[in-house]
Amino acid sequence: MSIFKPTWMVERIYDLSADDLKNNGVEAVLTDLDNTLIAWNNPDGTQELLDWFDMMRTAGIKVIVVSNNNHHRVQLAVEKFGLPFESRALKPLTFGINKAIKHYQLDRKGVIMVGDQLITDMVSANMAEVRGVLVKPLVGSDAWNTRINRFLEQFIKIILKRKYPELKWNRGLKNNGSN
Ligand SMILES: [Mg+2]
């Protein structure tokens, strides 16, 4: 089960403050796109998200999108935010994370992977040996393949909760930071 285990669980990506990240040695945030950064019904992102980008920029923390979607789709989604990205990441495999680490010469220890799915985002984080941050999906409705994943995730979550009772939704990285 530990392959699914997030290091931390925060409700939204913008619950990650620059101070919290720095205190935990994070220099780069790799993030999933769909339902983590943006919702299909709000492609421009929320003001909170834009403020969070500013906070990361000011703090010198890199934000890089790592998405399973194709180049065109990801570019279209992130260019308005000016974010670098890796597309066709093949999560739950490690290709996207490893490409980002190589591309931007990151120290694996200072990297986190943020995403809304255990089966893709958290497994890829654990396989790539970077810390994983699970967030709640921004909206409830998904593409059909994601819906199947979500169905499976309900079971995995129940087992994870039983095995790791300390895993809880938080507003920051205050606790259960060991993995
Ligand atoms: Mg997602």
Side-chain angles (χ1 to χ4, degrees), residues 10-14 31-46 49 65-69 73 77-78 81 91 113-118 120-122 133-147 149-150 153 157 169:
V10 301
E11 301 215 352
R12 299 283 181 259
I13 192 167
Y14 37 74
T31 173
D32 173 52
L33 178 64
D34 293 305
N35 253 336
T36 296
L37 268 191
I38 53 171
W40 63 270
N41 56 0
N42 186 8
D44 293 332
T46 59
L49 182 66
V65 172
V66 175
S67 170
N68 279 356
N69 261 301
R73 157 87 177 84
V78 307
F81 307 122
K91 295 175 285 182
M113 174 74 216
V114 184
D116 66 307
Q117 289 193 74
L118 294 167
T120 53
D121 304 310
M122 294 306 106
V133 181
L134 184 71
V135 296
K136 291 186 174 172
L138 289 176
V139 291
S141 57
D142 285 302
W144 65 270
N145 52 339
T146 308
R147 279 209 294 268
N149 280 357
R150 298 238 183 268
E153 294 211 353
K157 267 183 193 152
W169 292 106

Side-chain angles (χ1 to χ4, degrees), residues 40-172:
W40 63 270
N41 56 0
N42 186 8
D44 293 332
T46 59
Q47 188 57 46
E48 268 173 308
L49 182 66
L50 301 177
D51 292 345
W52 183 79
F53 286 145
D54 279 345
M55 177 166 65
M56 294 300 115
R57 220 167 280 138
T58 306
I61 297 170
K62 288 191 187 73
V63 178
I64 302 158
V65 172
V66 175
S67 170
N68 279 356
N69 261 301
N70 66 51
H71 183 94
H72 180 71
R73 157 87 177 84
V74 182
Q75 183 167 44
L76 215 61
V78 307
E79 62 188 359
K80 55 173 112 32
F81 307 122
L83 295 178
F85 65 91
E86 301 291 346
S87 55
R88 290 232 184 274
L90 299 179
K91 295 175 285 182
L93 302 179
T94 57
F95 291 101
I97 292 176
N98 286 339
K99 265 195 285 182
I101 286 173
K102 199 171 167 197
H103 214 139
Y104 299 96
Q105 298 176 323
L106 306 173
D107 178 357
R108 209 170 281 269
K109 291 195 293 294
V111 170
I112 57 172
M113 174 74 216
V114 184
D116 66 307
Q117 289 193 74
L118 294 167
I119 290 172
T120 53
D121 304 310
M122 294 306 106
V123 172
S124 68
N126 287 322
M127 299 228 302
E129 297 183 321
V130 303
R131 289 170 288 176
V133 181
L134 184 71
V135 296
K136 291 186 174 172
L138 289 176
V139 291
S141 57
D142 285 302
W144 65 270
N145 52 339
T146 308
R147 279 209 294 268
I148 293 172
N149 280 357
R150 298 238 183 268
F151 181 75
L152 295 172
E153 294 211 353
Q154 296 314 312
F155 293 99
I156 298 169
K157 267 183 193 152
I158 290 166
I159 299 166
L160 273 180
K161 251 191 183 154
R162 218 171 272 165
K163 189 153 182 221
Y164 306 104
E166 75 280 9
L167 266 184
K168 290 203 170 71
W169 292 106
N170 284 303
R171 293 306 299 263

